Amino acid sequence: MGLFGRNKEHPNLEKILDQELYRVPTTDTSISWADCLEGTLITGATGSGKTSAIGKYIGQAMLKKGFGMVIFCAKKEERERWDAYIEDCGRTEDKIVFNKSSGFKFNFLKYELERAGDGSGDVLNALNILMNLNEQSRIYQSGNSGNKDERFWDESLRRLISRTIALLRLAGEEVSIYNMRKIVVNCFRDEDAKRYFNLTKLAFSNEQIDKRVKDQAFQDLTEWKASSYFVEVIDMIISGPYYGSEETDIILDYWLKEFANISEKTTSIIIESFMGCVEAFIGNGILKEQFSQGLNKELAPESIIKGKKILIVDFPVKEFGLSAIYAATIYKTAFQNACERRNLTAEVDPKPIGLFIDEYQSFCNPVSDSLFQATARSSWVACVYITQNINNLFFVMGDSQPQARAYSLLGNLNLKYFANNADITTNEWASNLVGKHWIDVYSSSYGKDDDLTKSKSMQFHYKVTPDHFTTLKTGRKENNNKVQALVFKPGKLWDDKDSNFAIVEFKQ
């Protein structure tokens, strides 16, 4: 009988988290499951060994403990590296690779609207993913997340997307990127709405109207419906079972009165923003082929979490560009949402699940990631984010208080490894995290009669100076394949339990 088999009592989840995940090399300090749930940040310059040594050590520790994992690949060679880790740890049967040649598909709209559990079918969940795509596109192309003016357009885009999804659902049509685009392309402008109301009134009026006029109106309406998907969908709703309901009235008012009467310039900007979100799903490419249609159950985040599977999302940014950013954003958002819904008390043998992202700056969402990390521990998600320096994160946090937003995220990644780095901002930040202490400073001077005078004073100095990070070993043959890093975690004491940091070594 398993540990929790037929045990009617709720397992002590906090006790489970006391287990050791790994022991930090060259120290007597262990990192528990609970520690890893507080988030891990690894920084270091290119070639510092942050991925090949530190990242490898932590990733393999998670694999050996049987954690499920979701891994995003920024570089082409990453999947092969993880293939080797997984094989070495005996987890090959748990591996799922999601890439261009895998044949797997993840229609995120279908998933969000049809998944099991409370909240299924909530338009806001699907809307959230599309809005995150808009955010990631802006970050990728211009390096910021918008200003106040853009926030106005974002809210307008949000309403357009939610009303489009609702319109399709009320009509009983498939909610897909393709159908959403057809709705927006064919939606009414001011004169279209007036014409539609006039034709409908003539074609279906009970008043005494010339039959020829009535028949002509009906014919015009039929031909219009045949050539316009938008008119066809509106007709489905009006003749459908939900017509007259509060939700239907709100949606029809938006399309036939509100949006149709917005100024031409404003309408064009909103529609263009929408097209920017969905256009990549229309042409040939990974987004159309693997994220617009079909839904393999193996990719459902709930299946990954409960089955303790290892999913490698292998759409390298260097190869697929913005499409790779979209692909990662789609799945990461769906995964994070699923984790927030996770019911640990219903799981047999519950274990943390790792979210492992190298080149994290390419996948960071300045809003959703900060919010998720603040509650990741309660969902048992062990995030490991690797980036060269914290300036990378400042760059993608937008024009509005980028440093404050970045520090908010970084502050919720409690376990930090700082490898060799020449980035001044990162090194000074690390030194300040470790803090300062009082040291004895001796000085000497000569007086008028050449008398030597010695003195001692107490001064407040860095425990680790910023320049020290430039001297850490970076692996390879000249360093005997040893990689050094400073490790810091609030609440942990090192070096005979009298220091809040340690300089540790990893084998490359």
Side-chain angles (χ1 to χ4, degrees):
M1 189 65 61
L3 179 60
F4 305 119
R6 296 188 182 180
N7 185 354
K8 295 182 180 180
E9 295 184 1
H10 181 278
N12 188 331
L13 297 178
E14 287 300 320
K15 187 175 181 179
I16 295 172
L17 293 179
D18 288 337
Q19 297 180 70
E20 180 181 276
L21 176 59
Y22 62 87
R23 191 167 294 274
V24 179
T26 63
T27 76
D28 292 327
T29 303
S30 65
I31 299 300
S32 68
W33 290 16
D35 291 330
C36 77
L37 297 183
E38 296 177 18
T40 301
L41 173 71
I42 306 171
T43 67
T46 300
S48 64
K50 63 184 182 298
T51 298
S52 60
I54 308 170
K56 176 183 178 181
Y57 187 84
I58 297 173
Q60 287 188 326
M62 290 180 171
L63 292 172
K64 290 174 182 176
K65 294 296 183 180
F67 288 13
M69 295 188 72
V70 174
I71 301 149
F72 290 94
C73 297
K75 294 173 282 190
K76 193 171 183 179
E77 66 273 13
E78 274 190 84
R79 183 188 61 78
E80 294 180 356
R81 182 166 61 245
W82 278 99
D83 283 344
Y85 297 168
I86 292 167
E87 184 176 357
D88 289 345
C89 296
R91 297 286 305 279
T92 303
E93 291 185 0
D94 294 326
K95 182 179 69 174
I96 301 170
V97 177
F98 183 27
N99 59 18
K100 186 177 180 180
S101 59
S102 66
F104 288 130
K105 298 180 184 297
F106 187 72
N107 180 345
F108 63 98
L109 293 175
K110 183 179 179 67
Y111 163 74
E112 285 293 349
L113 296 174
E114 298 180 6
R115 63 173 174 77
D118 295 338
S120 176
D122 192 335
V123 171
L124 289 178
N125 291 326
L127 170 64
N128 185 42
I129 294 180
L130 284 169
M131 291 305 297
N132 279 348
L133 294 184
N134 184 55
E135 186 81 5
Q136 293 302 120
S137 175
R138 183 181 297 138
I139 291 170
Y140 183 80
Q141 295 184 53
S142 62
N144 68 68
S145 62
N147 51 40
K148 292 181 179 179
D149 290 337
E150 287 173 333
R151 292 303 176 193
F152 166 79
W153 297 113
D154 283 349
E155 288 305 314
S156 299
L157 175 61
R158 183 181 293 274
R159 292 189 70 212
L160 176 70
I161 292 172
S162 66
R163 299 297 191 262
T164 305
I165 294 173
L167 190 73
L168 288 168
R169 295 190 71 202
L170 286 171
E173 290 288 277
E174 179 187 3
V175 179
S176 66
I177 293 292
Y178 180 69
N179 282 346
M180 290 176 67
R181 185 179 184 277
K182 285 199 296 181
I183 289 292
V184 174
V185 166
N186 290 282
C187 68
F188 288 166
R189 304 299 193 271
D190 181 42
E191 293 303 317
D192 295 325
K194 291 178 181 178
R195 180 187 174 210
Y196 179 80
F197 283 125
N198 186 49
L199 289 176
T200 302
K201 181 179 180 180
L202 291 173
F204 298 102
S205 175
N206 292 323
E207 299 177 4
Q208 293 296 324
I209 298 176
D210 188 313
K211 186 176 184 302
R212 288 175 297 177
V213 174
K214 190 171 185 177
D215 289 346
Q216 184 61 50
F218 185 82
Q219 181 180 343
D220 290 346
L221 197 59
T222 301
E223 291 176 355
W224 195 5
K225 184 171 67 174
S227 63
S228 171
Y229 183 62
F230 180 80
V231 178
E232 180 184 357
V233 168
I234 294 293
D235 185 69
M236 289 179 186
I237 293 174
I238 291 176
S239 60
Y242 302 110
Y243 184 63
S245 67
E246 181 179 357
E247 181 183 8
T248 303
D249 288 345
I250 291 173
I251 300 305
L252 290 180
D253 280 350
Y254 174 81
W255 287 109
L256 302 181
K257 297 177 181 178
E258 296 175 36
F259 193 75
N261 289 306
I262 297 175
S263 70
E264 185 64 31
K265 181 179 179 180
T266 302
T267 302
S268 298
I269 294 174
I270 298 171
I271 291 178
E272 187 60 33
S273 297
F274 173 82
M275 292 303 176
C277 279
V278 304
E279 199 63 29
F281 294 86
I282 306 303
N284 294 325
I286 59 172
L287 297 177
K288 178 183 178 182
E289 294 299 321
Q290 295 177 281
F291 289 90
S292 299
Q293 54 190 347
L295 181 61
N296 290 91
K297 62 181 182 180
E298 294 92 340
L299 297 181
E302 292 82 0
S303 298
I304 302 297
I305 296 169
K306 293 178 182 178
K308 302 174 181 63
K309 300 297 183 181
I310 305 160
L311 175 64
I312 303 176
V313 182
D314 180 31
F315 298 102
V317 177
K318 300 300 182 183
E319 186 172 356
F320 294 101
L322 182 58
S323 292
I325 301 294
Y326 272 23
T329 299
I330 289 168
Y331 197 86
K332 180 157 72 76
T333 305
F335 171 75
Q336 289 174 335
N337 290 341
C339 288
E340 296 282 12
R341 299 188 297 267
R342 186 180 185 184
N343 182 6
L344 287 159
T345 63
E347 293 185 19
V348 175
D349 188 22
K351 291 184 177 181
I353 182 165
L355 176 59
F356 203 104
I357 308 179
D358 199 353
E359 300 294 338
Y360 173 61
Q361 71 278 358
S362 295
F363 303 104
C364 173
N365 184 289
V367 178
S368 62
D369 281 7
S370 294
L371 294 174
F372 178 72
Q373 189 55 45
T375 59
R377 187 186 188 281
S378 62
S379 302
W380 281 26
V381 183
C383 298
V384 180
Y385 299 148
I386 305 176
T387 188
Q388 284 85 6
N389 54 70
I390 63 174
N391 279 312
N392 283 343
L393 300 184
F394 296 161
F395 183 75
V396 300
M397 288 294 173
D399 295 331
S400 176
Q401 298 181 310
Q403 293 189 6
R405 298 173 76 174
Y407 285 137
S408 174
L409 171 61
L410 294 169
N412 285 318
L413 298 168
N414 280 346
L415 178 57
K416 298 177 173 72
Y417 290 93
F418 299 98
N420 183 286
N421 215 329
D423 182 73
I424 297 173
T425 305
T426 304
N427 294 347
E428 289 182 345
W429 179 60
S431 292
N432 282 312
L433 280 176
V434 173
K436 298 181 179 181
H437 61 169
W438 291 101
I439 63 171
D440 292 332
V441 177
Y442 296 90
S443 61
S444 59
S445 61
Y446 287 94
K448 294 181 178 179
D449 299 325
D450 291 333
D451 294 332
L452 178 63
T453 303
K454 296 182 179 180
S455 62
K456 182 180 78 170
S457 64
M458 297 286 289
Q459 294 186 12
F460 208 42
H461 281 218
Y462 280 124
K463 294 179 183 178
V464 180
T465 58
D467 65 297
H468 185 74
F469 296 95
T470 66
T471 68
L472 298 175
K473 294 179 181 178
T474 59
R476 303 184 66 83
K477 185 177 180 180
E478 59 266 30
N479 292 299
N480 295 317
N481 293 318
K482 292 181 179 180
V483 170
Q484 288 184 320
L486 182 146
V487 58
F488 172 86
K489 184 186 182 300
K492 288 283 185 186
L493 294 177
W494 316 77
D495 293 341
D496 297 324
K497 310 302 181 185
D498 63 356
S499 177
N500 65 345
F501 75 96
I503 303 296
V504 297
E505 286 187 352
F506 293 81
K507 291 183 179 179
Q508 195 171 47

